[in-house]
Structures are given as structure tokens and as C-alpha cells.
Amino acid sequence: MPHARLAVLVSGRGSNLEALHAACGSGRLAAEIALVASNRPDALALTRARAAGIATLACDSRGTGDRAAWDMAFMAAVGAARPDWIVLAGFMRRLDGAAIAPWAGRMLNIHPSLLPRHPGLDTHRRALEAGDAEHGASVHFVTAELDGGPVLAQARVPVLPDDTPERLAARLLPLEHRLLVASLGALLSGRVRLHGDRVWVDGHAAVRPLQLSADGNLS
Ligand code: GAR
């Protein structure tokens, strides 16, 4: 299988980026990261990418007046790297619909909640405040709706009595890494794809998101 080209969009720390990079390096993903792009020039993820010898693009989105124009120019620059897939790994900006339209079905985001619960920010605190018995992460296809595109796969953790937002986040993060790698693997292999606004798995419209199992597979 020829290697797929990935563009990874980041705004922060870059631990999911590192998980993707490691999976590409070990051959678990038949892919290479062609570009890491950020709307935050000071993102730690960019430093990590440069240290790994990956091409980077930094375009500061702060203080730009015309959101839609910034989004269009940013996505054009990302597209110039000729990615097959675009992965949002801690990219903290909602992109305009026109800018992402060419990438429908080829753009994924990882979000730290069991969507449709808790779209947006502060998901761990909100899960605790809501008294959720279970929390988790979701990988979904990106649409113009914030954290609203069709969900491909999820990973779940129980909420424990002494959890804080920080503890919950720390327990979930390693599962996020496995979930993102497994989801991308399912896309690259052709097992999963977006058909219209539905996720298809193994040739059938999925009735629920795939779930990450203890062995790191999706079922
Ligand atoms: C991850 O927890 C990811 O799920 C979240 O940001 C964090 C990035 O961590 N993404 C969102 O909240 C998107 N709505 P990382 O930079 O270490 O990968």
C-alpha cells in the first residue's frame, strides 16, 4: 500500500501529533506526516515537529479581522503540501465551511468527550459537573459545525469518585493517542469512510461509532 500523506493541524502541546508520528515511524500507519500546521506560532507541537524533521507552517490567527479569509488562506497553504488526509490533533479553531469543503470526508478531528456530549472547551470539568458516569474521546469527520461532524470512533473511561478534571484528562490522554492512530488506520485501510453524512464501516452504514477495545483495536 503506498504511503498516505498526512497534514496535522495543531494549536498546543502536540502529544497526539507525537503518537501519529511514532505510528508512522514504526509502520503501524502506512503514512507519512508531510506537514504540521498551526494557528499558534508558539505551539509546543511545532517545536516537536521541527525536532522530528517534519515540515511546519505557522500562521498566527490572533488579531486577524476576516476569519473566513484567514481560514481560506490557511487551508490553501495546507493543501499545497498535497495531503491525502488532514488530521486535527488539538487544533483549537473552528474553520469556515467554505475553507474545508474540498476536504469533506478526508478531514478528522479528535475531541476529548463522548460526542455529542460536551462539544467545545473544558470537557473534563463539564463531564464531572454533569455527574457523568463515563467520559471519553471521539474521532469525527470535520464539518463546519463545532465538534459536530459524524463520529467514527470513541474511547471510554469510567469517571471515578475522586476524579478531578486533571486526573480525568491524564487518564484519557493515552487512550486518545490509541484512538486517533486506530481511527486513521481504519481510514487508510478503507475499512471506514464517509458516505454523504454517514460513516460506513466494512461496507455498511454504521449504527454507532466504533469503540476502542483494550487491545487497541476498533470494534
Ligand atoms: C487533546 O486532548 C485533544 O483531544 C483536544 O486537545 C488536546 C490536545 O492535546 N482537542 C480539542 O479539544 C479539540 N476540540 P495534544 O496537543 O497533546 O495532542
Side-chain angles (χ1 to χ4, degrees):
M1 190 161 47
H3 273 204
R5 291 171 66 81
L6 308 180
V8 184
L9 275 47
V10 295
S11 301
R13 177 178 56 183
S15 72
N16 278 287
L17 166 67
E18 286 226 329
L20 289 175
H21 183 241
C24 293
S26 70
R28 268 180 300 144
L29 281 179
E32 60 180 300
I33 301 178
L35 179 72
V36 172
S38 182
N39 63 329
R40 293 271 180 263
D42 53 353
L44 178 59
L46 285 175
T47 309
R48 288 175 144 178
R50 289 186 195 112
I54 304 170
T56 60
L57 169 75
C59 301
D60 202 337
S61 60
R62 283 167 288 202
T64 49
D66 187 340
R67 276 191 70 95
W70 187 95
D71 291 350
M72 196 61 93
F74 181 70
M75 289 309 297
V78 170
R82 293 179 296 105
D84 300 301
W85 302 94
I86 299 177
V87 184
L88 278 58
F91 185 69
M92 306 305 279
R93 178 180 172 93
R94 192 185 65 78
L95 291 164
D96 185 63
I100 61 174
W103 300 100
R106 293 191 291 149
M107 201 166 176
L108 288 183
N109 179 44
I110 182 154
H111 180 74
S113 80
L114 293 173
L115 292 171
R117 288 189 73 69
H118 312 308
L121 299 174
D122 245 346
T123 56
H124 312 302
R125 182 184 55 75
R126 286 160 61 208
L128 290 175
E129 284 177 2
D132 294 355
E134 206 178 29
H135 185 48
S138 305
V139 170
H140 66 92
F141 289 97
V142 174
T143 63
E145 192 188 335
L146 179 71
D147 302 321
V151 177
L152 185 165
Q154 292 179 319
R156 293 167 186 273
V157 289
V159 175
L160 304 178
D162 60 349
D163 264 338
T164 61
E166 293 74 23
R167 279 190 207 148
L168 201 45
R171 209 162 62 250
L172 184 59
L173 193 63
L175 295 186
E176 283 196 39
H177 299 159
R178 276 182 243 154
L179 177 69
L180 186 56
V181 169
S183 299
L184 204 54
L187 276 179
L188 296 181
S189 71
R191 184 180 176 212
V192 170
R193 67 191 172 94
L194 188 69
H195 191 67
D197 59 359
R198 293 289 301 272
V199 176
W200 280 52
V201 179
D202 298 327
H204 303 282
V207 290
R208 63 175 183 86
L210 290 166
Q211 302 294 311
L212 185 75
S213 52
D215 60 9
N217 292 318
L218 294 177
S219 53

